[in-house]
Structures are given as structure tokens and as C-alpha cells.
Amino acid sequence: MGVSPDEYRDAVRRFASGVTVVTVAMGDELHGMTASSFASVSLDPPLVLVSLDKTSRTRTMIATAGSFAVNVLAK
């Protein structure tokens, strides 16, 4: 399921700064971590930037899985 350009633009413009939770699933294994380094890079195609330490387990799992989710915390 994709996100329309308008939905993407609306979501990222509301995030000036804050905390996100980056999650990844590999088979039955789920993993997540908090990340405050998150930014929108492009509207077309919709791209985001999340900075993760190269030794982190999350980054390794994302590289293997090929996808991840970013959850923006409201409070």
C-alpha cells in the first residue's frame, strides 16, 4: 500500500523535530529503535532519511530485509 504525494507532504510537514521509532521485520523477528535523526528527502519519489549507526542491529536488519517503517510519536 503506497502513500499519495499529498498524504506524504502532509505527514512530513508536520514533523519539525521529535522522536520516531524505526521498525523492521525479518521473518518472525521484529526489531525497533528510537531515532531523532529523521527527515524528508524527496516528494517524488517519496524518500526519507534516517541516520543509524553502522554497527546497529536495526541498520543491519534493514539492509537485509530491504524495507522498514518509521513511526512518528505524537507525545
Side-chain angles (χ1 to χ4, degrees), residues 3 5 8-9 40-47:
V3 175
Y8 177 75
R9 184 183 303 115
S40 171
V41 176
S42 171
L43 178 62
D44 187 19
L47 299 173

Side-chain angles (χ1 to χ4, degrees), residues 1-57:
M1 181 169 105
V3 175
S4 76
D6 289 338
E7 291 171 322
Y8 177 75
R9 184 183 303 115
D10 188 50
V12 296
R13 74 181 172 142
R14 294 178 185 203
F15 185 82
S17 67
V19 177
T20 62
V21 177
V22 177
T23 58
V24 59
M26 269 184 35
D28 292 338
E29 188 173 3
L30 303 173
H31 189 70
M33 65 174 284
T34 58
S36 59
S37 181
F38 167 79
S40 171
V41 176
S42 171
L43 178 62
D44 187 19
L47 299 173
V48 296
L49 167 89
V50 180
S51 299
L52 306 174
D53 188 286
K54 67 181 181 179
T55 62
S56 77
R57 182 174 174 201

